[in-house]
Amino acid sequence: MASAQKIAFIGLGVMGGPMAGHLDKAGHQLTVFNRSNKKAIQWAAAHPGHTAAATPAEAAAEADIVLLCVGKDEDVREVICGDQGVLKTLRPGSLIIDHTTASATLAREMAERCSEQQIEFIDAPVSGGQQGAENGQLTIMAGGSEQAFKRAEPIMQVFARAVTLMGPSGSGQLTKMVNQICIGGLVQALAEGLNFAKQAGLDQQKVIDVISLGAAGSWQMANRHKTMIADEYEHGFAVNWMRKDLDICLIQARNLGVQLPVTALVDQLYAEVQQMGGGRWDTSSLLKRLQGYSSKQ
């Protein structure tokens, strides 16, 4: 277990809130910030002994380590480098761990900006969703120096089951892109399979019980098939956020000259889910789109 640290935690959404909670249980001293100040105040009230700050700079003023879990590239840049960003107050020798899913370009930019002030930076996007955050079972893929990683690893292990340094700055974000590329195709295939089974008159649950024991089995199948069959889509990562992630993947792929034909298709299918009003449904709602299509035939 990591020795107690003074930590600033920025971003208390469905992922950040539980992650900060695990740090509380591990005995760390937290100052929290959230764009909606009410949420930060509520978190601090629910976790006695910790405080809510009005700005990222205020949160970081006494911190040894800053953890971020916000939304997009521009959010990260504002929280770190903005007029009220953490670099205004963070001391040399401090460490920033960014758990936001963002671009590799941003990660490298932030690492350089932090280095100018003798501050270490780790890009450390996570996989495992809200359930993984709540259960302390996230998978973390990190980018940065070995020295910074060794310092960050005990902190991240508080809410993770696996923490791996993938390479220099940006490598964590690139690995998360691979993660999202793989998930998109898997979820669409699972949606197509379940829809096919239903249209063919098969018992969907029996089908899954059989094929999940063979080569078709996957985490998505094991953890999402029941809610998909029940037509429930409030159990995971939202379509709006998945489209943000896939956009990052597609931009990076163009820069690398790499083809992502399935990912590009799945991105457009998620756009159709958004048009159905499903932007806040979880990513398994690709089945909802197929069922709507089938009902029109």
Side-chain angles (χ1 to χ4, degrees):
M1 180 180 293
S3 58
Q5 303 265 9
K6 290 184 178 179
I7 293 175
F9 201 105
I10 297 172
L12 299 170
V14 296
M15 300 293 289
M19 292 160 71
H22 288 296
L23 292 169
D24 162 47
K25 293 176 184 176
H28 297 290
Q29 183 65 45
L30 275 69
T31 301
V32 299
F33 169 82
N34 195 75
R35 183 161 50 187
S36 168
N37 189 242
K38 180 179 179 181
K39 185 174 288 187
I41 293 171
Q42 290 174 337
W43 189 95
H47 300 83
H50 306 289
T51 58
T55 67
E58 181 183 326
E62 300 297 327
D64 303 306
I65 299 175
V66 175
L67 278 72
L68 280 67
C69 192
V70 293
K72 298 175 288 187
D73 280 27
E74 51 264 41
D75 299 325
V76 174
R77 190 176 286 110
E78 179 65 23
V79 164
I80 293 178
C81 304
D83 292 340
Q84 296 293 327
V86 300
L87 291 184
K88 295 293 184 182
T89 57
L90 203 55
R91 299 184 299 270
S94 302
L95 169 68
I96 297 176
I97 305 171
D98 181 20
H99 291 302
T100 309
T101 295
S103 71
T105 300
L106 176 89
R108 295 174 187 129
E109 176 192 336
M110 292 300 100
E112 184 174 347
R113 291 290 298 273
C114 290
S115 179
E116 291 170 357
Q117 295 187 207
Q118 291 83 51
I119 293 168
E120 294 178 308
F121 179 88
I122 289 282
D123 54 286
V126 304
S127 181
Q130 182 176 350
Q131 183 178 356
E134 292 172 349
N135 295 333
Q137 293 291 302
L138 293 170
T139 295
I140 302 178
M141 46 223 85
S145 70
E146 290 189 11
Q147 175 180 313
F149 178 75
K150 286 179 181 178
R151 185 176 174 190
E153 185 177 17
I155 299 297
M156 297 187 288
Q157 285 176 334
V158 170
F159 42 74
R161 64 177 180 178
V163 184
T164 306
L165 179 63
M166 303 306 300
S169 295
S171 299
Q173 297 296 354
L174 290 169
T175 305
K176 180 61 183 288
M177 292 176 210
V178 176
N179 186 79
Q180 301 306 73
I181 289 165
C182 293
I183 287 175
L186 283 170
V187 176
Q188 175 62 14
L190 178 58
E192 290 182 16
L194 286 171
N195 188 59
F196 180 92
K198 182 177 182 180
Q199 299 304 319
L202 296 170
D203 183 314
Q204 292 168 295
Q205 186 59 59
K206 282 188 176 181
V207 169
I208 295 296
D209 289 344
V210 171
I211 70 171
S212 64
L213 300 177
S218 68
W219 186 98
Q220 296 294 332
M221 183 178 289
N223 289 274
R224 289 288 174 260
H225 78 273
K226 289 184 181 296
T227 50
M228 292 170 78
I229 292 171
D231 197 34
E232 298 174 359
Y233 302 106
E234 307 295 334
H235 300 278
F237 193 59
V239 167
N240 286 341
W241 289 112
M242 186 60 161
R243 286 213 72 205
K244 183 268 290 186
D245 289 1
L246 294 182
D247 184 58
I248 292 171
C249 297
L250 293 166
I251 291 171
Q252 184 68 55
R254 285 196 294 272
N255 293 338
L256 293 172
V258 173
Q259 292 188 349
L260 297 179
V262 173
T263 302
L265 173 59
V266 172
D267 180 57
Q268 291 308 302
L269 300 180
Y270 277 128
E272 293 183 21
V273 174
Q274 288 176 318
Q275 292 168 6
M276 294 169 62
R280 293 186 179 275
W281 296 342
D282 70 60
T283 52
S284 69
S285 57
L286 287 169
L287 178 58
K288 187 80 166 177
R289 174 196 163 274
L290 283 171
Q291 290 173 332
Y293 179 81
S294 297
S295 68
K296 296 176 183 178
Q297 304 306 301

